[in-house]
Amino acid sequence: MTDGVRRGRLGAAWSRCATAMGVSEACPRLVLVTAAVGLLATGAVVAGLLWPVASTDVTPPLPVRFAIVAGLAALAQLARLRLKVGSGMVSVAWGEAAVIVGLYLVPAGWLPAAEALGALAALLLLSRYAERRNPFETARGVASLTLGAATAAAVTAAISDPFGSRLTPSLAFALVLGCVMYLAVTTGLVALGVSLRYPVPFLSGLARTLQAKLLMFVGNVGVGLLIIVMLESDARWLVLLPPLLWLLQQTYGQRLRADGERRSWQAFAQATRSLNQLDERGVAAAGLQGTFALFAASEAEIEVIRADGATRRYASAAGGDVVERDSPGPSAEPEPVTRPLSVGGVRLGELRVRFEQPPGDRDEVALSAFADALSAALHDAATHRELRIMAARSSYDAVHDPLTGLVNRAALLARGDSALRMLDREHPVALLLLDVDQFKEVNDTLGHAAGDELLQVIAARLGALAKPGELLSRLGGDEFALLVTSLPPLGEQTALRTRQPTLRQALRRARQIVEHLAAPTEVAGVQLSVEASVGVAVAPAGAADMTELLRRADVAMYQAKDGGGSVAWYDTARDAASTDQLALLAEMREALAVDDQLDLVLQPAVDLVTGAPTGVEALIRWRHPRRGVLAPLDFVRTVEGSELLAPFTRYVIDKALAVAAEWAAHGLQLPIAVNLSARSLLDPRLPADVAELLRRHRIPPNGLVLEITETVVMSELDVIDEVLAGLRAVGVQLAVDDFGTGFSSLTFLTRITVDELKIDREFVAKMVDSPQAAAIVRTTVDLGRELGLRVVAEGVETADQREALTAIGCRAAQGFHFFKPMPPDRITGVLRTLLAAQPNVFPLRADGAS
Ligand code: C2E
Ligand code: CA
Ligand code: CA
C-alpha cells in the first residue's frame, strides 16, 4: 500500500469518525481549544493520581470516598439548570458544592479524576435522555469540568489542604477561593465556546453567564460548607439536606426563569424592532438575525412569495452570512419547525427554524409571535417595493414615449438644456428636427397599427445613427429630434463664421439621416420608402436654449417642406418675420429700459500708410439674459421693422457718444462711427435728436459718423432726402456702408454728399484671387479720390489683402487683421498707443462745421 493510499484511507476514516463525533460541525478553532483543554485535563488527572497521599487510613476507606465524590460530581451536573446565552445554551450546576465536599473527602489530587468520571457519567446520561449533544460536545464538557476541578484542587491545596482537616476559617477561605477558580475556569471555557460558535462576544457571554450563576455560586458554596459542618458534627444531619437542596433548586430555577423571561422579552422587542426595514432582503436578514437572537437555532430560512408568484429564500446558519437561493436548501436533521408568514389571509411565505434542542412551549409561542411580526414587516417591504416600482415606472413614463421608447419632448427640453449648460458657451450644437413626409397617408391607407410600426422602424433607424452622447427624442406624432453636441468647436472667428463649417457638418448629418430612412422597409406587407424633411438649427451652446433651438429647427423644417428639399437650415433673416419677433421685441423693450444688456464693441479703422487710427466703428451686442450674446444679425432686422427702431437708434448713438466723450476727457479725439438702419432715414425727428445728443455729450458734430447702407426702399422717398439734408446740416459725417452691394450705390452718391465710402468686405475678401473684385475695389478707391471722399476697406483679414489695398492706393482699412471689435475699456488703451506714435493724424475741428 502506498503512502498516498494509506493517507487517503486514514483521511476518510477520520472524517467519518469526525462526523459521527460532531467535530465536523464545530469550527476549527473550537476543536483546537477543546483539544488543548482535553490535554490539560488529562494531564491534571494523571498528575493528581500520582501525587503522594498523606494518610490513607480513613473511614470510610479512600476508594469508597472516591466513588462517593464521583457520584456527587455526577449528581451536581444532573441537577443542572439551563439558560440561553445568545443562540447558545449554557447550564449552571451544583459543581462548587461537589468540589468542596470532594476536597474534604478525598486527597486533592484525586478530585480531577473523580470529577472526570462523575461529569462523564452525568453528561452521557443527559445527552442520552434530556439534551441533544454530540460526543464532541460531551467531551468538551467533561474536559472543562475536569480542568475546573483540577484548578480548584490545586489552588485550595496550596493554601490549606482540607483532606482530613477540621473546618477552620482559613480552610473555609481556601475552599471558597478554590471554588472561585472552578467558577472562573468553567464559565470562562463555556463563554469561549459560545463566542467561537455563535456571534456572541466573549466578554458579554462571560458576563451574562457569571451574572446568571452568581446566586447559585453563593448557594453552592454555602451548601458545600454546610455539608462539611454536618459531616464534622453528626452525619445524621445530612437527612435534612435533600429538602434544603430541593428548595434551593426551586429558587434558582425561579430566579433564572424570571431573568430569562425579562431578557427574552427585551430580545424580542429588539428583534421585532430591527425588522423595520424597507426592502425585502433587509427584512429577511433582520428576521434571520432575530431568529438566532431569540431561539437556540442552528439554521433558519425565510421563504418569501412575491406578488408575482416568484419565491425567494433567504437562509443562514447561526452566526453565518445570509445566503439567497432560488431552490430549497439541502434537507437535514432535525426537521425544521415552520411558521406560515401571512397578512390578512394573504400568504407571504414561510419561516423555517432548525432548533438545536426540541423547542419548548415558550419557544413555540414566541416563534409564532415573531413570525407574525416578520409577516407584517415583509408585507410593508413588499408594499414599499411596489410603490418604488410604480414610482420608477411613472417617472420612466413621464419622460419616455411608450411607442418607441425614445425620450419625449419634455425630456428633450430638460435634458437638452442641462447638456447645453454643461458645454462651453461657444461650443456649437445642432438640433435636427425630422418630420416624416406623408405620414398621414400611411395611417389613413394602411391603418394606425401600420403607422405605429413605421414609427418604430424610424425610431430604430435613427437610434442606429445617433452617436453616444447625442439626445434622440420623439416629439410626438411623426416628429423626431436629434440634439448633436459633438460638433468640433472652431477657433477665433466671428459668430456668423463659426457656424459655417459647423453648419456644413450638421447638414451632412441631416442628409445622412434622410438617406438612411429612405432605404425601403416593409410595413403591413407593403414596401415603403420613408421620406422625411429635416430642419437644422445650429448655435453656440450659450446662445440659445432648447425651446429656442426647437423653434428655429421647426422654422427650418417647414422651409424644407415648402422648398421641396429634404433638408433646410435655420436662417435668422428668413425667420425675421416669424412669431418670434414679438417676443424678441418685448425683450428688446426691456433691454432698452434696463441699460445693462445692450453693449457696444468698438473696432478701429487704421491708416494703411501710417498705421494711425482713422476712426472707430461702434457695433452693437445684446447680452440677452436667456439667449446669450446676440450679434446684430440676430435682432437688428426685427427691431428695424418695429416702432422700437427710433429708441434703439438713439440708444446706440447715445452710448457711442458717451464713449467719445470719455475719450475726449482723456484727450483722445477720434470720430466714432455708428451704423444707421436705412429705415431710420424715414424718421424726420432724427436730425434734431442727433443734434441734441451731440450737445449733451459735448461732442463736435464731425466727431460722429453715421454709416448708412443704401437700399431699394429708400430710393424714392422724399422724406429720406429731407432727413439726410437735416443730418448734413447738423454737421455729422455720413458714410456709405457696404459700398458696392447696394442696389444703386452710385445714384445714392448723386443724391447726397457723403464723407466716406466703406468697401464691402465681400470684395476685399475676394480681391486677391478675383480680378473682378480687385477691379471694383480699385474703381471705388479711384471714385473716392475723384470725389474727395475717404475710402475705407472693410473686413481686411490678411496681410495679402492689406498689401493689395496699399498697392491700389487705398488709404484706410478695418478688419480682424488689425483689430477685432473690442469692449470700450480696452479700446482706450489701444488708441492711446496708436496715437502716441502719430498725434493728430485725423484732427477734429473745434467749430464743428463740416
Ligand atoms: P457692418 O457695418 O459691415 O459691420 C462690420 C461687421 O463686420 C461687424 O459685424 C464686424 O464685427 C465684422 N468684421 C469686422 N472686421 C471683420 C473681418 O476682418 N472679417 C469679418 N469676417 N468680419 C469683420 P457685426 O458686429 O456682426 O455687425 C454686423 C452688421 O450689423 C454690421 O455690419 C451693421 O450693418 C449691423 N450693425 C452693427 N451694429 C449696429 C447698430 O448699432 N445699429 C444698426 N442699425 N446696425 C448695426
Ligand atoms: Ca458699418
Ligand atoms: Ca460694412
Side-chain angles (χ1 to χ4, degrees):
M1 200 182 343
T2 67
D3 242 19
V5 175
R6 192 185 304 127
R7 214 178 296 129
R9 293 222 177 138
L10 270 178
W14 158 247
S15 84
R16 259 199 309 282
C17 174
T19 311
M21 295 268 296
V23 175
S24 54
E25 289 167 33
C27 70
R29 278 189 298 169
L30 188 60
V31 176
L32 270 181
V33 169
T34 305
V37 173
L39 269 177
L40 282 174
T42 314
V45 168
V46 174
L49 289 178
L50 294 179
W51 206 264
V53 177
S55 90
T56 48
D57 185 19
V58 285
T59 35
L62 274 182
V64 178
R65 290 184 171 215
F66 180 82
I68 292 174
V69 173
L72 283 177
L75 266 180
Q77 294 307 320
L78 286 173
R80 59 184 18 206
L81 292 163
R82 285 166 62 77
L83 78 150
K84 246 179 80 35
V85 172
S87 39
M89 296 291 292
V90 299
S91 344
V92 285
W94 288 87
E96 293 84 355
V99 165
I100 291 181
V101 177
L103 284 173
Y104 183 73
L105 288 182
V106 294
W110 290 28
L111 186 68
E115 178 78 32
L117 271 180
L120 181 65
L123 294 192
L124 283 178
L125 271 175
L126 280 174
S127 60
R128 180 90 175 81
Y129 296 106
E131 300 166 5
R132 215 163 52 79
R133 187 195 288 272
N134 60 40
F136 174 69
E137 285 165 329
T138 305
R140 194 154 62 88
V142 172
S144 52
L145 288 172
T146 307
L147 191 63
T151 319
V155 168
T156 309
I159 301 173
S160 158
D161 191 1
F163 177 58
S165 312
R166 289 198 65 81
L167 188 63
T168 60
S170 74
L171 179 61
F173 170 75
L175 286 169
V176 172
L177 201 66
C179 285
V180 169
M181 292 316 294
Y182 174 84
L183 177 72
V185 170
T186 52
T187 33
L189 288 174
V190 165
L192 186 62
V194 169
S195 76
L196 290 177
R197 276 193 69 180
Y198 306 104
V200 178
F202 171 74
L203 281 179
S204 85
L206 184 67
R208 171 97 176 74
T209 319
L210 278 178
Q211 193 193 13
K213 242 190 128 150
L214 202 64
L215 175 74
M216 202 159 176
F217 173 77
V218 174
N220 283 357
V221 172
V223 166
L225 292 175
L226 182 68
I227 293 175
I228 297 181
V229 172
M230 285 171 164
L231 285 175
E232 277 188 354
S233 56
D234 188 340
R236 277 172 299 180
W237 283 110
L238 288 176
V239 201
L240 290 179
L241 210 52
L244 175 71
L245 292 182
W246 184 83
L247 263 177
L248 272 176
Q249 176 85 347
Q250 292 305 311
T251 316
Y252 292 162
Q254 204 71 42
R255 160 78 204 262
L256 279 181
R257 268 192 299 278
D259 208 42
E261 203 70 10
R262 186 171 52 79
R263 267 169 206 288
S264 61
W265 280 116
Q266 275 171 355
F268 194 83
Q270 161 86 41
T272 48
R273 221 183 357 259
S274 65
L275 291 176
N276 208 346
Q277 313 250 354
L278 285 180
D279 63 305
E280 181 188 287
R281 194 177 202 284
V283 173
L288 292 172
Q289 208 173 21
T291 305
F292 293 119
L294 296 177
F295 308 102
S298 58
E299 245 179 79
E301 182 182 80
I302 294 172
E303 182 185 274
V304 182
I305 305 171
R306 292 197 180 146
D308 57 6
T311 52
R312 196 108 203 95
R313 292 176 182 81
Y314 300 89
S316 162
D321 291 332
V322 177
V323 289
E324 268 182 62
R325 52 190 181 212
D326 295 323
S327 51
S331 64
E333 287 295 312
E335 273 297 300
V337 178
T338 65
R339 286 292 179 279
L341 300 172
S342 66
V343 168
V346 179
R347 221 174 114 72
L348 299 172
E350 193 168 69
L351 169 65
R352 306 189 184 111
V353 182
R354 195 158 280 149
F355 278 83
E356 298 217 306
Q357 313 290 331
D361 292 346
R362 221 198 121 274
D363 285 335
E364 295 276 2
V365 176
L367 188 63
S368 297
F370 188 62
D372 286 344
L374 183 58
S375 304
L378 277 175
H379 181 257
D380 286 353
T383 313
H384 194 259
R385 185 183 140 88
E386 284 299 301
L387 279 176
R388 267 200 319 260
I389 291 173
M390 266 165 65
R393 192 178 301 145
S394 70
S395 66
Y396 180 90
D397 288 350
V399 296
H400 284 86
D401 161 43
L403 180 66
T404 61
L406 299 179
V407 297
N408 60 20
R409 174 186 289 263
L412 174 75
L413 292 181
R415 293 186 191 176
D417 275 335
S418 62
L420 294 187
R421 275 195 296 275
M422 283 170 63
L423 291 169
D424 204 63
R425 291 188 62 80
E426 294 304 320
H427 188 96
V429 295
L431 186 69
L432 278 50
L433 180 69
L434 178 142
D435 185 284
V436 182
D437 296 339
Q438 281 105 36
F439 180 71
K440 196 172 168 298
E441 282 164 35
V442 175
N443 255 346
D444 291 348
T445 53
L446 301 178
H448 282 271
D452 285 356
E453 199 185 325
L454 183 61
L455 289 174
Q456 282 166 333
V457 170
I458 294 172
R461 289 186 177 179
L462 290 176
L465 285 179
K467 295 176 185 164
E470 296 182 344
L471 194 54
L472 177 63
S473 155
R474 179 179 171 214
L475 298 176
D478 56 353
E479 278 191 355
F480 296 84
L482 180 68
L483 178 68
V484 180
T485 49
S486 58
L487 302 166
L490 290 141
E492 299 273 300
Q493 276 171 321
T494 60
L496 180 72
R497 290 210 130 207
T498 307
R499 286 176 210 163
Q500 298 310 325
T502 319
L503 180 64
R504 265 202 303 281
Q505 193 170 332
L507 292 174
R508 204 178 310 133
R509 282 297 294 282
R511 276 190 283 275
Q512 183 195 3
I513 286 175
V514 169
E515 278 163 27
H516 199 68
L517 287 183
T521 178
E522 199 183 283
V523 168
V526 177
Q527 281 278 328
L528 287 178
S529 169
V530 180
E531 283 177 19
S533 305
V534 182
V536 178
V538 171
D545 63 3
M546 282 304 291
T547 315
E548 173 62 15
L549 276 181
L550 209 53
R551 191 195 66 74
R552 293 183 187 178
D554 201 53
V555 170
M557 196 268 290
Y558 277 103
Q559 276 159 7
K561 277 207 192 292
D562 290 348
S566 47
V567 173
W569 56 281
Y570 172 82
D571 176 4
T572 329
R574 275 187 286 179
D575 186 37
S578 78
T579 49
D580 183 49
Q581 271 181 305
L582 290 176
L584 195 80
L585 287 175
E587 288 155 4
M588 172 57 83
R589 186 169 290 119
E590 203 186 313
L592 289 172
V594 296
D595 192 49
D596 63 348
Q597 291 185 18
L598 296 169
D599 287 330
L600 293 183
V601 288
L602 301 145
Q603 187 180 36
V606 295
D607 188 304
L608 281 174
V609 179
T610 66
T614 60
V616 174
E617 181 176 0
L619 299 158
I620 191 80
R621 295 287 178 271
W622 185 357
R623 276 194 285 123
H624 194 284
R626 199 164 46 77
R627 303 180 205 233
V629 177
L630 301 184
L633 196 73
D634 296 326
F635 60 91
V636 167
R637 279 177 66 121
T638 307
V639 174
E640 278 175 354
S642 77
E643 82 286 356
L644 285 182
L645 178 61
F648 172 74
T649 306
R650 279 152 189 73
Y651 187 97
V652 176
I653 296 175
D654 186 28
K655 274 217 145 169
L657 291 178
V659 171
E662 175 79 18
W663 293 341
H666 288 87
L668 284 174
Q669 296 199 317
L670 260 186
I672 190 156
V674 171
N675 292 284
L676 213 58
S677 293
R679 281 173 155 272
S680 292
L681 299 178
L682 298 170
D683 175 4
R685 287 194 310 273
L686 184 67
D689 289 351
V690 170
E692 162 62 19
L693 287 168
L694 286 167
R695 240 191 321 280
R696 198 185 317 147
H697 290 285
R698 299 168 190 276
I699 300 292
N702 68 346
L704 177 66
V705 182
L706 296 177
E707 298 189 1
I708 302 155
T709 311
E710 86 285 25
T711 63
V712 197
V713 205
M714 53 191 283
S715 47
E716 279 104 37
L717 293 168
D718 289 344
V719 63
I720 289 176
D721 291 331
E722 280 165 35
V723 173
L724 284 171
L727 290 173
R728 283 229 67 92
V730 171
V732 296
Q733 302 194 50
L734 295 179
V736 184
D737 206 352
D738 304 342
F739 189 82
T741 60
F743 291 88
S744 48
S745 299
L746 293 171
T747 326
F748 187 73
L749 290 182
T750 61
R751 277 170 81 178
I752 187 75
T753 322
V754 298
D755 304 273
E756 186 177 300
L757 297 181
K758 297 191 83 169
I759 305 176
D760 192 78
R761 64 167 174 267
E762 202 184 304
F763 304 114
V764 176
K766 287 183 194 152
M767 66 181 291
V768 177
D769 298 323
S770 153
Q772 287 89 344
I776 291 176
V777 175
R778 192 180 309 112
T779 312
T780 310
V781 170
D782 292 345
L783 181 70
R785 200 180 297 124
E786 285 292 313
L787 297 177
L789 308 176
R790 286 197 305 278
V791 176
V792 181
E794 285 194 308
V796 179
E797 290 183 351
T798 64
D800 286 353
Q801 291 166 357
R802 175 199 183 152
E803 265 157 38
L805 288 165
T806 319
I808 285 170
C810 179
R811 269 307 288 261
Q814 185 181 340
F816 293 167
H817 178 64
F818 308 103
F819 297 103
K820 289 194 171 163
M822 58 191 101
D825 54 348
R826 272 222 353 251
I827 196 158
T828 319
V830 170
L831 295 177
R832 279 246 182 95
T833 325
L834 289 175
L835 283 172
Q838 287 119 344
N840 296 327
V841 169
F842 196 80
L844 300 176
R845 275 174 300 171
D847 61 7
S850 149

